Amino acid sequence: MSKALHLLPLAELARLLQQKLLTSVALTEHFLQRIDRFNPTLNAFIQVDRDRAYRDARRADDILAKGTHGSPLTGIPYALKDIFDVESEPTTCHSHLMLQHRAARSSTVASRLAASGAVYLGKLATHEFALGGPSDELPFPPARNPWNTAHFTGASSSGAGAAVAAGLVPIALGSDTSGSIRGPACLCGVVGFKPTYGVVSRAGVFPLSWTLDHCGPLTRFSDDTRRVLQAIAGYDPADPTTVTRKLDLSPRAVTWPSHRIAWPRHLLTDNPHTDPALIAAMDRAVGFLTEAGARVEEVRFRDFSLFNACGRIIMAAESFAVHQHNLRERGAEYGRFTFQRILPGATISAAELLDALRLRTALTGWLNAELFPRYSLLLFPGTLRAAPHFNEFSQDWPPASHVVPTQTIPFNVTGNPALSLPLGLTEAGLPLGLQLVGRLFDDSLVLDAGEAMEKWLAMPALSDDVMLRPHRVVPVTG
């Protein structure tokens, strides 16, 4: 094999397993050895279940030995953000309040991955209750960016982004309420996908905001994401928000001349905190699309600030509703950032929440009834800069607006599928990324387009030497 196992796409790993050129036990051992080597620095995993991993791997090898190929994920390791339940395993949500909690049953996502024959490695770091922020006062240290461990990972699926980028696991499942899959994917240089709302079940996943939460994968390639989505998508009676509509997720070649793509470049150029390197990188991506025959047209993305305000009000109100009892009874056990982020939800009136919900309907209608009928895809920034240094976070939330200027929450408000793709590196060696957004339930086209664009964007793989390079690792406040 010319490439190390952790750099290969899932299709190639599946081929090696199915042709018996590789065993799942050997593949699992490869990733466990990488976890042993790099996780003490990266803090991506907070719990590794070696016994379960080897048990799953041996079971997968038995399936493959019988001459049946199983599923495309049979024998391939995965890990879960520590808000996903796995039966009898701890689900701590990275919080002192949950350290004694063990799940009575598995989340639907975990059950479907297990049924596919995938190999469970363990739980990944998050922010407390998938909100909070990077902090040393929590039961586990914050995950660190493998491109430079003195830098942030992006958002609450922090361990997932770091683990996939570092080659500790090929599949990580995260959640995305305002960008917590796409932020870490963007800042860690991997692929992250927020499916259409209702496509993936959230049963058995600790909620942050019932109407904004999405679950989805972080992987190295868009086709990897498709393979995971094929395993986990679909109606679930345990989650009444899932849709009965069955998506056709078969890959198709993109005929670019048949696509008209909206490009709100002003979101970059109007913001003084945008890194010029990101503007140049996205302009190059537009150039590739144009050369391939796509019609890329600059548009005004109306009322971005209203999308942001609308989403923040809904998230604040719903997260307070989730936590109100514990805030009253055990408020001192929350981390500082988490407490500061949840408590303002108590001040939101019913009238203000209803105003936000009405605004949500209007904004969703504009996007899906006015913009998307004219365009098949929307090219969008992910964040406006590369990963910030940990010392840019103060002791109180929120940090300065330029520290984590994500551009992701509009599509939690509307529910549209959104893919974060790596664009390349800054001169400082930190990843940049973009988003591809599609029409509701057009998840497959978004992944098709992502796969096609990866061939042009050619994100370099993270080398072990970079992760081993000494960085000034500072304590994280909070």
Side-chain angles (χ1 to χ4, degrees), residues 4-8 10 13 26-39 42 44-45 77-79 121 124 144-147 158-172 188-190 218-221 224 460-464 467:
L5 290 173
H6 57 276
L7 299 179
L8 296 178
L10 296 189
L13 291 177
L27 181 62
T28 299
E29 179 63 27
H30 174 80
F31 285 106
L32 289 173
Q33 288 177 356
R34 290 188 64 79
I35 292 169
D36 289 341
R37 185 182 183 193
F38 295 109
N39 198 62
L42 299 177
F45 277 84
Y78 71 96
L121 295 190
L124 298 161
R144 293 183 176 272
N145 196 312
W147 294 89
S158 51
V164 173
L168 308 188
V169 69
I171 300 167
C188 293
V190 298
L218 294 92
T219 63
R220 192 170 291 277
F221 303 103
D224 295 355
L462 173 62
S463 74
D464 292 352
M467 286 190 284

Side-chain angles (χ1 to χ4, degrees), residues 176-177 197-198 200 202-203 205-215 239-242 314-324 353 357 360 412:
D176 192 312
T177 305
Y197 185 82
V200 175
R202 300 167 303 167
V205 181
F206 196 95
L208 173 58
S209 175
W210 295 287
T211 67
L212 297 173
D213 290 346
H214 298 65
C215 296
D239 178 358
T241 68
T242 52
I314 294 169
M315 185 168 70
E318 293 185 348
S319 64
F320 177 77
V322 171
H323 289 276
Q324 58 181 323
L353 178 58
L357 294 173
R360 180 184 200 171
N412 297 89

Side-chain angles (χ1 to χ4, degrees), residues 276-323:
L278 177 62
I279 299 175
M282 292 199 71
D283 283 343
R284 284 194 299 273
V286 169
F288 290 138
L289 288 166
T290 302
E291 288 173 15
R295 293 172 291 165
V296 183
E297 300 176 9
E298 285 196 35
V299 299
R300 298 292 298 180
F301 191 82
R302 193 177 76 183
D303 297 328
F304 178 84
S305 61
L306 286 181
F307 275 96
N308 188 57
C310 175
R312 298 294 171 191
I313 290 170
I314 294 169
M315 185 168 70
E318 293 185 348
S319 64
F320 177 77
V322 171
H323 289 276

